[in-house]
Amino acid sequence: MTWRSLLPAVAALAALSLPAAARAEPNVAIDNILMSKRNGITTVQIWPGCRMRYVDHLPVDAGLEVRVRVTLAPECDALLGEVFTERYSPSSLHLGNVEEIEFQRFSPRDTFVLLRFKTPQRFDVRQH
């Protein structure tokens, strides 16, 4: 999914995808987070540790956070075991005015990836 965030002169994009060669590791919800900035657009790529599918996100296009709902494949739910919350604060978060990224799992169909911002942002979310 791609998430687009626009602060007056800053835009950000996020992706939640699984590389073809990725292997799930037990107890790791998010395998990698990469952020880059080009022409005022920040791209956030989030690779889950196992297969997840984008469902929807709220709010639709702006706010202090974006809550991306995903569903877990059965093998992903099993691999995560007792992992219900993980917080990530990579050093590159400042590129997109991102304060924190958090994984929250309440059930296989009630799972979220949250991106919290330091100031309100505009965004667009889609799966790649």
Side-chain angles (χ1 to χ4, degrees):
M1 70 200 81
T2 300
W3 146 81
R4 182 180 183 92
S5 165
L6 298 169
L7 188 58
V10 178
L13 299 172
L16 178 61
S17 58
L18 184 64
R23 288 191 290 265
E25 296 180 31
N27 300 324
V28 177
I30 303 296
D31 186 45
N32 200 1
I33 298 170
L34 298 175
M35 294 186 71
S36 61
K37 190 169 190 171
R38 182 175 174 195
N39 298 327
I41 297 174
T42 300
T43 301
V44 180
Q45 295 177 312
I46 302 172
W47 282 280
C50 54
R51 183 124 351 246
M52 298 179 194
R53 185 180 60 82
Y54 168 80
V55 176
D56 60 17
H57 66 280
L58 287 174
V60 174
D61 62 2
L64 276 171
E65 75 175 26
V66 59
R67 177 179 286 255
V68 180
R69 184 189 337 227
V70 297
T71 57
L72 305 180
E75 65 275 6
C76 184
D77 190 47
L79 285 168
L80 290 177
E82 297 300 314
V83 174
F84 294 101
T85 301
E86 289 181 359
R87 288 193 174 108
Y88 307 91
S89 297
S91 59
S92 60
L93 289 180
H94 69 281
L95 291 175
N97 205 23
V98 178
E99 188 170 15
E100 179 181 64
I101 297 172
E102 183 175 356
F103 172 82
Q104 297 179 336
R105 179 174 68 134
F106 302 101
S107 73
R109 296 192 180 274
D110 199 18
T111 302
F112 302 91
V113 177
L114 280 77
L115 289 94
R116 291 188 182 96
F117 308 108
K118 294 178 183 175
T119 59
Q121 303 290 304
R122 292 189 47 79
F123 42 80
D124 175 43
V125 179
R126 60 190 145 119
Q127 183 167 344
H128 289 282

